[in-house]
Amino acid sequence: MSALPAALLAKLGNLELIARAAVDGLVQGAHRADRPGFSQEFAAYRDYEPGDDLRFVDWNAYARTDRLHLKLFEGETNTRLLVLLDASASMAAAGGLGAAASRLPSKLQYGAWLAAALTHIAVRQHDAVGLATFADAVRDDVPPGTGERRRQALFACLEGVQAEGGSNWDAAFAHVAQRLRGRAIVAAISDFYCQPSDFGSALAMLGARGHDLIAFHVLDAAERRPRLRRNATLRDAESGRVIEVDAADMRTGYPRRLAAHEAALRREAAAAGAHYVAMDAEEPLDRALVRYMRFRARHP
């Protein structure tokens, strides 16, 4: 299966189908490409022997080769993953430009897809996985656990998440720091509409406790390449503040400010020992998942 564009994933509708499509396509692509250090993150293979559990037979491989191969997953690990999803009002922005906007997900939808795919990967690898969503304060809070029931609980939270309110990174990360006992991977998903220094101090709070941190910065196409033909009055989705926007400045000054903002976020992440990944809400999830798996391989 090749990389699935966001518009095609949106047509699947069901969060579980989206997660499975993204992860299964990625696994198959990794096996075809035989990328060392990546495909074996999911499984090794051996010939099927009588008495083996049929649930772990790779039926896709059987259809191609007419031979039974057994998927060998890594044993139970001490790895725990906590996904931290920003559900503030700014995350409701719809992706895409023009007519494409109606076919593409909002940043929050995309973030929920990514969170679901990370959850699916963790369950496949027998890692414990949890979820926290937040805006002004933490909303959903599911501590890391293992198994199918935990996966379904997390999917239920992600299905119901709504974008509203402001964003308080310090409160969210302080809450996570208090709840997490022992080392974990924390994957933060947000549009990071905050001061880079606030973002950096929040990351440092967790980094100082030994957690491994990866930050996915999700923006939509209209935010990266705004098209204003004339001056406009806009209202900030989180603060309600009214802003007068100059069309000429949006074409020239805004791209420079956005690049500076992303560069500052990257520096703050590096200072806290975190990995920073810039994402567009219209691109396939594969890129984010590949980056996560490479990160995961370096932080066993």
Side-chain angles (χ1 to χ4, degrees), residues 12-253:
L12 295 177
N14 181 276
L15 189 63
E16 182 165 356
L17 290 178
I18 290 171
R20 287 182 181 277
V23 175
D24 291 350
L26 185 69
V27 176
Q28 292 177 26
H31 292 329
R32 284 197 301 270
D34 193 26
R35 283 176 277 190
F38 178 77
S39 63
Q40 52 265 52
E41 281 293 312
F42 290 94
Y45 291 87
R46 67 166 170 80
D47 290 339
Y48 174 84
E49 296 175 1
D52 286 334
D53 193 333
L54 290 174
R55 292 178 301 171
F56 301 114
V57 169
D58 189 334
W59 297 109
N60 290 325
Y62 175 74
R64 295 193 301 270
T65 66
D66 202 33
R67 293 182 60 187
L68 291 175
H69 296 280
L70 201 70
K71 296 179 181 180
L72 297 179
F73 291 92
E74 295 180 0
E76 293 292 336
T77 73
N78 294 320
T79 299
R80 294 180 302 156
L81 167 67
L82 180 75
V83 181
L84 186 60
L85 177 61
D86 181 357
S88 59
S90 64
M91 293 289 285
L97 296 166
S102 62
R103 302 192 302 271
L104 293 171
S106 69
K107 291 181 291 184
L108 182 58
Q109 288 174 310
Y110 189 87
W113 296 354
L114 176 54
L118 295 177
T119 296
H120 192 57
I121 287 173
V123 171
R124 288 186 62 148
Q125 297 194 159
H126 308 286
D127 292 339
V129 58
L131 171 72
T133 67
F134 76 96
D136 300 290
V138 173
R139 296 176 185 168
D140 300 296
D141 181 15
V142 182
T146 59
E148 180 62 20
R149 292 182 64 181
R150 181 52 51 95
R151 188 178 73 95
Q152 292 299 332
L154 297 186
F155 277 21
C157 288
L158 292 170
E159 290 278 11
V161 69
Q162 299 291 325
E164 56 187 3
S167 54
N168 189 332
W169 276 98
D170 283 338
F173 274 51
H175 178 87
V176 168
Q178 292 170 1
R179 292 294 301 273
L180 277 179
R181 295 291 181 265
R183 178 169 167 260
I185 293 175
V186 178
I189 304 170
S190 174
D191 55 13
F192 296 128
Y193 278 143
C194 60
Q195 290 297 323
S197 58
D198 293 341
F199 166 70
S201 63
L203 285 176
M205 187 187 311
L206 289 178
R209 288 167 169 78
H211 300 301
D212 299 311
L213 312 170
I214 182 167
F216 293 99
H217 186 193
V218 179
L219 295 179
D220 67 38
E223 290 171 315
R224 291 198 178 280
R225 300 176 295 278
R227 294 179 179 177
L228 282 182
R229 299 181 184 278
R230 59 182 66 87
N231 296 351
T233 300
L234 304 178
R235 183 181 299 275
D236 186 279
E238 296 188 9
S239 68
R241 185 164 60 97
V242 174
I243 307 169
E244 299 295 331
V245 177
D246 180 86
D249 178 69
M250 290 297 286
R251 289 192 297 270
T252 56

Side-chain angles (χ1 to χ4, degrees), residues 249-261:
D249 178 69
M250 290 297 286
R251 289 192 297 270
T252 56
Y254 174 81
R256 291 195 297 269
R257 291 192 295 273
L258 177 59
H261 179 69

